[in-house]
Structures are given as C-alpha cells and as structure tokens.
Amino acid sequence: MMYEKYVDLLKEKSIKITPQRLEILRYLDKNRNHPTAYQIYTDLKENNPSLSKTTVYNSLEILNKYDIINTISITGLETRYDIKNIIHHHFMCKKCGRIIDIDIECPNIRKTLEQGHKIEEVHGYFKGRCRECIEKEIDQYGS
Amino acid sequence: MMYEKYVDLLKEKSIKITPQRLEILRYLDKNRNHPTAYQIYTDLKENNPSLSKTTVYNSLEILNKYDIINTISITGLETRYDIKNIIHHHFMCKKCGRIIDIDIECPNIRKTLEQGHKIEEVHGYFKGRCRECIEKEIDQYGS
DNA sequence: ATACTAAATTGTAATGATTATAATTTAGGT
DNA sequence: ACCTAAATTATAATCATTACAATTTAGTAT
Ligand SMILES: [Mn+2]
Ligand SMILES: [Mn+2]
Ligand SMILES: [Zn+2]
Ligand SMILES: [Zn+2]
C-alpha cells in the first residue's frame, strides 16, 4: 500500500519494478526540493545500506526517459531532479541556494514551433534573490 | 581599430584590459554558436600558444560578472557562453546538438516578482528536434 | 620614461559530478 | 522452480571546473 502508487507508475510504462526504483520515486515524491543525485543517494543509503550511487544515476535516467521525473540544470553545476507534476518554472536564489517552483507555463512556445522545431522539453529558469533573503537583509541593515 | 570595440567594453566596466580578454571577447562576438570554454580555448590557442585554460575560465567568469556575456546551462553537461545582445531564449536539438537562438523574452517574469523575489537572470531553454534534422529524416525515410 | 604593486596569467594538481566496466544478483516470464 | 535479460553493485575512468603557487603584466605613481 505504501509503494502501490509507485508500482503503478512503473507498471504503466512497463519498466521493471525494483525496490531501488520505488525508494527513489517515493523520495522524490516526498522531497519536492529538487535534490541532487548525491542527496538522494546519501539520504536513502541510511535505510538501504546496499544502495549504490550508480543505481541512483541509472534509475534517475530511466525515470526521466519515461517521463516520470524531470531534470533541472539551473545551477550549471549538477543536475537536480523533480517528480513530474504540473508544468512549472524554477527560481534559484543566489544567496540561500534554494530552488523554488514558479507555477507558470511558457507562452512562448509558439515562436519555436513556428520555426519548424519540435519541442520535447521546456525549461524556465530564473535566478536572483528570494523573498526570504531580501527580508532578512532588510531586518539586518534596515530598509 | 580591430579591438577598439572590445577595449571600450572593458573600459566602460573598469575591467583591466588584457590581450587574452580581448581575444575571448572578439571570439564570442564572431562565434555566436554558444561555444564551450574548451572550444574557445582550443580555437584561440592556435594563434595564442601561451594561452592557458585557466585564463579562459577566469576571463569568462569576470566577463559574466560584469554582464558582458551570458552563461547557458542548457546541456546540463558544460557551460556555454554567449556575448550579450538582445534578450533571447535557446533551443537545443537533441539530434545534432546545435543551440539555436529563439528571439523572445519571457512574459512570465511578473509572477516571480509578485512573490517577492528579485530576478537577476532569465534562462529559457527548449529541447527537441530542430527543423533541419526533421527535414533530413523525412528525406531519408519519407514523410 | 621608470619603478611599483595589485591583479592577471600560466602550468599543474585537486575536486566533484557523472559515466564506463565487469562481476554479481534479481525481476519477471516460462 | 528455472532461465535469462536486465538491474544492481563496487570500482575505476572521464571530463568540466576550480584551487594553488609561481611568474608576468597593466595601469598608476614617481
Ligand atoms: Mn519544481
Ligand atoms: Mn544565444
Ligand atoms: Zn534565498
Ligand atoms: Zn538538429
């Protein structure tokens, strides 16, 4: 019952069901903070000591290939992962590093299609200073 | 006269003018195909044998910091660079690897600002199959 | 023009994310 | 219960980027 949801997701796509894939899927479902492969690996390793980093990478690759998760390359440093939900953009705070969901679609797709290209992925990334960090600065140094 | 334009750009920002920085700037001005640091390095190295890879990275970093160039993290693998011109998005073809300019701004910025965040960078990335690659496939296998 | 100095350049080594490889284990079908 | 292709694992390799320390240089002051 705890993993049923994820079993179904994998069954739909006829991907082989393994405990590792289920754990990773559940992790991404519970942790919507766009973790790195390494974060997923170390967190899950606590309760699954035999888990291998390679398996995390392999699993993320196949889950992405079958459109169950998304990749985010906003930092330029490492790939972040997001379980697929409604389409949205991302905002990265350059101060605290958080990656925040911005619930908008991209209305610009038309222009790309007009030129004859076929769009399979849309990534909208903003970078700057988040509200919390701005407010903290005001508290500290005055408006 | 050949480098005057780039000398002025650096002077404006009070960045120290060095032959290496001028070469890199000129390269990015002439090569609008979003090259990697390594591509810039190897191409410039031919006529500037003493050029160091570290210098390319350092120069790109400072040029980016002073808003003379942009970084593009569309591949997720390595950073691409673009001399700053009008705001635009990028389309990457998963077949041929080209990164193509899409001349649109992002009309979604409002939503991010509404939430109190301060936007300093906007990155719009599309991925898919470019027109040329699609046409080639049709030629080969029929529509 | 010369001398000075902080900053830039250079070559090399280190880091860190990701991928390749090969041996072992396992999921799912017969 | 067995078989086999696929998945997992540990380890090593790769590749982009950064750190470091010695050398050179741009820009300024003398
Ligand atoms: Mn998200
Ligand atoms: Mn561009
Ligand atoms: Zn923040
Ligand atoms: Zn193409």
Side-chain angles (χ1 to χ4, degrees), chain B residues 93-98 129-133:
Chain B
C93 177
K94 289 179 176 181
K95 188 81 183 298
C96 68
R98 277 191 311 150
R129 197 65 54 109
C130 81
R131 182 164 54 79
E132 278 82 347
C133 285

mmCIF file of all heavy atoms in Angstrom, chain B residues 93-98 129-133, ligand 4:
data_model
loop_
_atom_site.group_PDB
_atom_site.id
_atom_site.type_symbol
_atom_site.label_atom_id
_atom_site.label_comp_id
_atom_site.label_asym_id
_atom_site.label_seq_id
_atom_site.Cartn_x
_atom_site.Cartn_y
_atom_site.Cartn_z
ATOM 1 N N CYS B 93 18.908 21.172 -30.092
ATOM 2 C CA CYS B 93 18.477 19.995 -30.832
ATOM 3 C C CYS B 93 19.152 18.770 -30.236
ATOM 4 O O CYS B 93 20.374 18.708 -30.141
ATOM 5 C CB CYS B 93 18.817 20.128 -32.317
ATOM 6 S SG CYS B 93 18.381 18.655 -33.254
ATOM 7 N N LYS B 94 18.329 17.794 -29.841
ATOM 8 C CA LYS B 94 18.873 16.581 -29.218
ATOM 9 C C LYS B 94 19.536 15.680 -30.257
ATOM 10 O O LYS B 94 20.246 14.749 -29.898
ATOM 11 C CB LYS B 94 17.752 15.799 -28.527
ATOM 12 C CG LYS B 94 17.219 16.450 -27.265
ATOM 13 C CD LYS B 94 16.097 15.598 -26.668
ATOM 14 C CE LYS B 94 15.579 16.151 -25.359
ATOM 15 N NZ LYS B 94 14.502 15.282 -24.809
ATOM 16 N N LYS B 95 19.287 15.939 -31.525
ATOM 17 C CA LYS B 95 19.888 15.133 -32.588
ATOM 18 C C LYS B 95 21.274 15.672 -32.950
ATOM 19 O O LYS B 95 22.263 14.987 -32.802
ATOM 20 C CB LYS B 95 18.962 15.142 -33.811
ATOM 21 C CG LYS B 95 19.366 14.193 -34.929
ATOM 22 C CD LYS B 95 18.919 12.771 -34.643
ATOM 23 C CE LYS B 95 19.376 11.801 -35.733
ATOM 24 N NZ LYS B 95 18.808 12.120 -37.066
ATOM 25 N N CYS B 96 21.311 16.929 -33.407
ATOM 26 C CA CYS B 96 22.571 17.464 -33.929
ATOM 27 C C CYS B 96 23.326 18.277 -32.879
ATOM 28 O O CYS B 96 24.479 18.648 -33.091
ATOM 29 C CB CYS B 96 22.329 18.316 -35.169
ATOM 30 S SG CYS B 96 21.444 19.867 -34.878
ATOM 31 N N GLY B 97 22.688 18.566 -31.758
ATOM 32 C CA GLY B 97 23.393 19.243 -30.670
ATOM 33 C C GLY B 97 23.470 20.758 -30.788
ATOM 34 O O GLY B 97 23.941 21.421 -29.864
ATOM 35 N N ARG B 98 23.022 21.307 -31.898
ATOM 36 C CA ARG B 98 23.080 22.763 -32.073
ATOM 37 C C ARG B 98 22.229 23.487 -31.024
ATOM 38 O O ARG B 98 21.194 22.984 -30.600
ATOM 39 C CB ARG B 98 22.561 23.147 -33.463
ATOM 40 C CG ARG B 98 23.597 23.019 -34.544
ATOM 41 C CD ARG B 98 23.102 23.675 -35.813
ATOM 42 N NE ARG B 98 21.744 23.254 -36.151
ATOM 43 C CZ ARG B 98 20.861 24.009 -36.799
ATOM 44 N NH1 ARG B 98 21.203 25.222 -37.191
ATOM 45 N NH2 ARG B 98 19.660 23.538 -37.085
ATOM 46 N N ARG B 129 13.811 18.523 -31.428
ATOM 47 C CA ARG B 129 14.374 18.179 -32.721
ATOM 48 C C ARG B 129 14.281 19.417 -33.615
ATOM 49 O O ARG B 129 13.196 19.973 -33.764
ATOM 50 C CB ARG B 129 13.505 17.049 -33.303
ATOM 51 C CG ARG B 129 14.070 16.262 -34.424
ATOM 52 C CD ARG B 129 15.283 15.436 -34.088
ATOM 53 N NE ARG B 129 15.147 14.519 -32.962
ATOM 54 C CZ ARG B 129 15.083 13.200 -33.097
ATOM 55 N NH1 ARG B 129 15.110 12.642 -34.273
ATOM 56 N NH2 ARG B 129 15.007 12.437 -32.023
ATOM 57 N N CYS B 130 15.417 19.846 -34.176
ATOM 58 C CA CYS B 130 15.397 21.086 -34.969
ATOM 59 C C CYS B 130 14.834 20.838 -36.366
ATOM 60 O O CYS B 130 14.761 19.703 -36.835
ATOM 61 C CB CYS B 130 16.784 21.710 -35.052
ATOM 62 S SG CYS B 130 17.869 20.969 -36.282
ATOM 63 N N ARG B 131 14.468 21.917 -37.029
ATOM 64 C CA ARG B 131 13.843 21.820 -38.345
ATOM 65 C C ARG B 131 14.713 21.037 -39.324
ATOM 66 O O ARG B 131 14.245 20.103 -39.982
ATOM 67 C CB ARG B 131 13.568 23.224 -38.887
ATOM 68 C CG ARG B 131 12.882 23.238 -40.232
ATOM 69 C CD ARG B 131 12.285 24.601 -40.559
ATOM 70 N NE ARG B 131 13.272 25.675 -40.464
ATOM 71 C CZ ARG B 131 14.179 25.960 -41.401
ATOM 72 N NH1 ARG B 131 14.225 25.246 -42.513
ATOM 73 N NH2 ARG B 131 15.018 26.947 -41.234
ATOM 74 N N GLU B 132 16.002 21.399 -39.396
ATOM 75 C CA GLU B 132 16.913 20.725 -40.330
ATOM 76 C C GLU B 132 16.930 19.217 -40.098
ATOM 77 O O GLU B 132 16.871 18.430 -41.048
ATOM 78 C CB GLU B 132 18.337 21.288 -40.184
ATOM 79 C CG GLU B 132 18.565 22.584 -40.941
ATOM 80 C CD GLU B 132 18.068 23.801 -40.153
ATOM 81 O OE1 GLU B 132 17.333 23.603 -39.147
ATOM 82 O OE2 GLU B 132 18.401 24.935 -40.537
ATOM 83 N N CYS B 133 17.011 18.819 -38.827
ATOM 84 C CA CYS B 133 17.063 17.381 -38.532
ATOM 85 C C CYS B 133 15.762 16.691 -38.887
ATOM 86 O O CYS B 133 15.772 15.552 -39.388
ATOM 87 C CB CYS B 133 17.408 17.164 -37.063
ATOM 88 S SG CYS B 133 19.157 17.477 -36.714
HETATM 89 ZN ZN ZN E 4 19.240 19.338 -35.224
#
